[in-house]
Amino acid sequence: QVQLLESGGGLVQAGGSLRLSCAASGIFRNIHTMGWYRQTPAKERELVATITSDSSTNYGDFVKGRFTISRDNAKNTVYLQTNSLKPEDAAVYYCYALIAPWGVFHLEQCWGQGTQVTVSP
């Protein structure tokens, strides 16, 4: 069982910043991709950013230029630096990992419990 533990969410004023962290624990060969998705009751879950083990990044259209994703492979941890936050950025942010387990040849998707980001005007 792989677990993803998020931290860093909270309430911030519009224009402010938060740094989200997600640490993976468990037994696995490696983590190919880690990233963040966000969701509100009114919207489908949408891509925020992902990063691969070779540091290739992908950003959602509405956050590129404001958010930066990074990872520490030694700690199995991914970070999301969020700058210039807007009220529409408020959502539950979910950590995502694409993991290669030991003993099998397929990849498995894992999700964290989510961390709430609230942006006040």
Side-chain angles (χ1 to χ4, degrees), residues 30-50:
N30 56 38
I31 304 176
H32 285 263
T33 304
M34 300 188 77
W36 297 89
Y37 291 73
R38 69 187 186 187
Q39 189 169 20
T40 68
K43 296 182 65 176
E44 297 179 350
R45 188 170 297 187
E46 65 179 353
L47 168 72
V48 179
T50 60

Side-chain angles (χ1 to χ4, degrees), residues 2-60:
V2 177
Q3 295 177 314
L4 303 176
L5 181 60
E6 303 110 325
S7 62
L11 191 152
V12 65
Q13 198 83 15
S17 301
L18 289 172
R19 186 174 185 250
L20 308 183
S21 301
C22 174
S25 62
I27 305 299
F28 43 81
R29 185 185 302 114
N30 56 38
I31 304 176
H32 285 263
T33 304
M34 300 188 77
W36 297 89
Y37 291 73
R38 69 187 186 187
Q39 189 169 20
T40 68
K43 296 182 65 176
E44 297 179 350
R45 188 170 297 187
E46 65 179 353
L47 168 72
V48 179
T50 60
I51 183 168
T52 65
S53 58
D54 64 353
S55 299
S56 178
T57 59
N58 187 33
Y59 291 93

Side-chain angles (χ1 to χ4, degrees), residues 81-97:
Q81 179 67 47
T82 68
N83 299 321
S84 301
L85 284 164
K86 306 173 181 178
E88 54 262 42
D89 293 320
V92 177
Y93 283 68
Y94 293 93
C95 182
Y96 165 85

Side-chain angles (χ1 to χ4, degrees), residues 56-72:
S56 178
T57 59
N58 187 33
Y59 291 93
D61 290 341
F62 297 101
V63 301
K64 188 174 183 179
R66 298 187 295 124
F67 296 0
T68 303
I69 191 168
S70 61
R71 66 188 285 173
D72 185 336

